[in-house]
Structure formats: structure tokens, C-alpha cells
Amino acid sequence: MESLEIIILAAGNSSRLGQPKQLVVYQGKTLIEHIVSNALMVSPNVTVVLGSNAKNIEWVLNQAQLFPKIVYNSDWEQGMGSSIKTGVSSLTNKQAPIMILLSDQPAVQTNLLWQMIHLYQEKKPEIVACDYGGKLGVPMLFSPQVRHELLMLSGDQGARSFLQHYSDTTLTVPFALGVWDIDTPKDMAELVNKKVR
């Protein structure tokens, strides 16, 4: 989808994990390579928001021959909201839908992203969110009409903070594996035994 803008949040310092989660290796690739390569398969417009460990992450992407747009969030320590705002502020196409991805969800595959895109194109909701079994979360896709809400985020606020205002115009796709992310050493140890089909 050529008009779609994808923002990948990869600025955090992974304090609970004790090492950069973006550089954790899963099935032969770092998590940041995994999400960037999948994102580039559905849109040429991919922006990665970096903060902590930015140089190392950018080096890995360059080595992998992956060249998304890179923006730096100097306030990354303030949390996810500041990274979303940084990413959205960097976009020049104000009329494009925006998809937000994280760098620590190994189960995100292109088929899920395409499912979200096709639902958006067919039904034109203001938000397409993933349903983890009653809990809504990322990946999320936002219409241009919701851009102003994303630009108002700050600190640790994510998009969940305003989802209730759009409950009538939010559609969902099931993504049970959305709960699987890499936050702790235990999560990382379990990577070895997990496979995504």
C-alpha cells in the first residue's frame, strides 16, 4: 500500500531485559530486522524511531541492507508517547494512514499487516487495532483523521489512551500472539522454543 506510512517504535533501552531487545536474535535475525523487513514488504514508507542504542541498531539495519527512514527521539526516556509523536511529526504526507508497530513482537508477520490494510481499505474505519483476546493493542492502523490524537501523546501514553473515544469507528483483527513480546530474560529464553507459522 504505497500511501501507507509505517512507524516502528524502537527507542527504548529495554531496562527489564538488561540488553537492547531490538538486537535480540530470533530465527537467525534480530527483532529489528524482522519487523523492518516485514514492514517494507507492505509499504515503501517505513520510519524507525530510535533513541537508546541508536548507533548499534542503525548499524545492524545497514548491515542487513535495510534502509528505512531513521528519526531520533531525544526524549526517548519519557516513554512511548514521545516516540509516537516524534515519528508522526516527521511524516510529510499529512493525508496518509499511519500504522504503528513495535520492535519486540516476533509474531507480527506480513499476513497480519495485509489483513489490517485490507480491512481499512474495505471499511474505512478511523482505527484498525489488533485484538489479543479482549484487549486491543498494536499493531494499529490510524486514518489521517486520528493524526491529531497521535501528535498529542506524551510520556508513557500509547494509543490505548484515546481508543475509547473511537470505539464506534474502530475495527479489529484477531491476534492472540500479540501478548507475546520480549520484556524480560524469561521472555527471551522462551524464544528458542516458539515458532510463528
Side-chain angles (χ1 to χ4, degrees):
M1 184 177 173
E2 289 189 9
S3 65
L4 175 67
E5 297 279 359
I6 298 180
I7 296 172
I8 298 172
L9 306 180
N13 69 343
S14 317
S15 56
R16 285 193 289 163
L17 186 61
Q19 67 184 82
K21 65 173 72 175
Q22 302 92 331
L23 302 181
V24 168
V25 175
Y26 174 62
Q27 294 186 346
K29 291 197 298 190
T30 61
L31 294 182
I32 191 68
E33 289 173 73
H34 164 82
I35 196 64
V36 169
S37 59
N38 281 340
L40 286 168
M41 288 182 201
V42 301
S43 173
N45 312 310
V46 177
T47 298
V48 178
V49 182
L50 296 180
S52 180
N53 302 296
K55 287 185 178 178
N56 289 341
I57 295 168
E58 194 168 0
W59 184 86
V60 164
L61 289 174
N62 286 335
Q63 290 297 111
Q65 299 290 297
L66 296 170
F67 303 106
K69 183 172 86 173
I70 302 289
V71 297
Y72 301 94
N73 177 15
S74 57
D75 297 321
W76 63 267
E77 290 178 280
Q78 292 185 11
M80 182 186 292
S82 70
S83 286
I84 293 174
K85 185 175 181 179
T86 297
V88 175
S89 298
S90 76
L91 303 179
T92 55
N93 184 354
K94 306 286 194 284
Q95 300 307 312
I98 299 168
M99 180 181 280
I100 294 180
L101 307 176
L102 302 182
S103 58
D104 68 339
Q105 289 184 303
V108 171
Q109 303 289 315
T110 54
N111 59 345
L112 173 70
L113 305 183
W114 280 120
Q115 187 180 355
M116 296 174 69
I117 290 167
H118 291 151
L119 183 60
Y120 176 79
Q121 291 174 319
E122 181 183 351
K123 302 290 187 181
K124 296 293 188 287
E126 291 192 291
I127 299 174
V128 178
C130 286
D131 186 342
Y132 303 174
K135 180 179 179 183
L136 301 188
V138 286
M140 287 188 193
L141 199 165
F142 303 90
S143 76
Q145 288 69 39
V146 186
R147 181 189 181 95
H148 66 287
E149 296 273 17
L150 296 171
L151 288 169
M152 290 170 61
L153 294 176
S154 61
D156 282 330
Q157 283 184 310
R160 279 198 194 118
S161 63
F162 61 76
L163 277 182
Q164 67 272 18
H165 302 312
Y166 293 92
S167 57
D168 292 338
T169 53
T170 296
L171 296 179
T172 64
V173 296
F175 182 40
L177 288 174
V179 295
W180 173 31
D181 57 15
I182 312 301
D183 284 327
T184 66
K186 181 183 176 186
D187 295 334
M188 194 167 75
E190 290 175 352
L191 271 180
V192 179
N193 300 315
K194 289 201 178 186
K195 296 221 183 323
V196 177
R197 306 237 185 278

